[in-house]
Amino acid sequence: MSTPVDTTSASPYGTLPPTSTPALRKPISLPRLLEMRARGEKITMLTAYDATFAAVADAAGVDCILVGDSLGMVCQGLSSTVGVTLQDMCYHVQSVERGLRRSQATAWLIADMPYGSYLESREQALRSAAALMQAGAHMVKLEGGGWTTETVRFLVERGIPVCAHLGLTPQTVHALGGYRVQGKSVEAAALLKTQAHALQDAGAALLVLEMVPAALAAEVTAELTHCATIGIGAGKDTAGQVLVMHDMLGVNLGRMPRFVRNFMTGAAGVREAMHAYVQAVKSGEFPDNQLHAW
Ligand code: KIV
């Protein structure tokens, strides 16, 4: 059970809207996300790691907030996501969940299962997923196809919604040899498609496709019947899009991936930038396949 947030005492720091703010849109649920996919409305997803940015993203109309293990890089200063622990993830999920309750609390909250939290066994995965759900997540995300398919099935059968993740899977960056585009060869594309179908059959409702050729992402999206693809560096023809918040706000400390747009350009503030992102994705204006010519 999460503890109610005290909104009565004034804070000298940044204040969030009180819990009594009337909701302006219906809360996003899993059936609603799948309905959006079915009628061709693009799904918007953005990462957030703390209460304030989560509340702002929610108020800006973002459909899904992902507490990504990218927090290892953008919050903790690590060089990869491998060092992020389950404890770290639960801390950030709790913060985001509190922020959502201080806003409209309408966004769908997804939590990454961090490196090492589902490698040992399906039972270990279930314990880790349960900890993230108790921290406030509505869905967990885990990387990979192949052996992870049975883990996805095990969690879904136990009532835990799952988002899968194929293509560039940052937790295996050392095995992949760097942050490289995936699925370029005929064999790699065929394997990715097979894995996507298997993950859908295992019950994954969402599937992040990261850094794969736009044509491959479009084919996977068209072939899957009850799993919505969410692209990042995967072209415009996926069912939805996700970006790392710091990237789209132009505060990336490293090299900006070429598929990212800085939505702060021309925006009066963070909320406006996030709203511009939502509108650009919904209208199909972002991303631009020219920038995805892998
Ligand atoms: O950790 C993360 O932020 C992610 C997104 C890049 C999809 O997995």
Side-chain angles (χ1 to χ4, degrees), residues 47 49 66 68-70 112 141 165 208 210 232 242 244:
T47 67
Y49 316 98
L66 169 66
D69 58 0
S70 49
D112 254 335
K141 175 163 88 58
H165 185 154
V208 168
E210 180 164 358
I232 173 163
V242 58
V244 169

Side-chain angles (χ1 to χ4, degrees), residues 3-177:
T3 330
V5 179
D6 174 15
T7 55
T8 52
S9 51
S11 157
Y13 306 117
T15 48
L16 291 165
T19 45
S20 59
T21 302
L24 300 176
R25 59 171 182 172
K26 274 190 359 203
I28 305 290
S29 61
L30 198 49
R32 277 200 72 200
L33 289 172
L34 295 175
E35 273 164 34
M36 285 164 69
R37 173 201 166 278
R39 65 169 184 270
E41 179 183 340
K42 297 281 183 185
I43 298 168
T44 55
M45 189 186 292
L46 196 59
T47 67
Y49 316 98
D50 69 17
T52 304
F53 281 105
V56 173
D58 189 36
V62 172
D63 297 316
C64 304
I65 293 188
L66 169 66
V67 183
D69 58 0
S70 49
L71 68 85
M73 277 102 126
V74 299
C75 300
Q76 298 175 327
L78 300 173
S79 58
S80 80
T81 58
V82 174
V84 178
T85 66
L86 184 60
Q87 203 181 358
D88 295 335
M89 289 304 303
C90 286
Y91 169 85
H92 286 276
V93 172
Q94 283 168 342
S95 306
V96 164
E97 196 271 336
R98 284 186 213 113
L100 291 183
R101 275 187 294 133
R102 296 280 288 267
S103 173
Q104 305 171 50
T106 56
W108 178 251
L109 176 48
I110 306 171
D112 254 335
M113 293 185 64
Y115 181 79
S117 71
Y118 56 100
L119 287 177
E120 278 170 35
S121 63
R122 297 179 313 177
E123 288 72 19
Q124 184 212 17
L126 180 59
R127 280 194 299 278
S128 306
L132 293 166
M133 299 297 280
Q134 286 179 328
H138 302 138
M139 174 180 242
V140 297
K141 175 163 88 58
L142 57 101
E143 294 183 4
W147 67 268
T148 61
T149 306
E150 284 317 305
T151 306
V152 169
R153 192 186 313 280
F154 193 69
L155 298 181
V156 172
E157 281 173 354
R158 282 153 186 79
I160 300 177
V162 175
C163 173
H165 185 154
L166 291 175
L168 172 64
T169 45
Q171 290 175 13
T172 44
V173 61
H174 301 303
L176 295 175

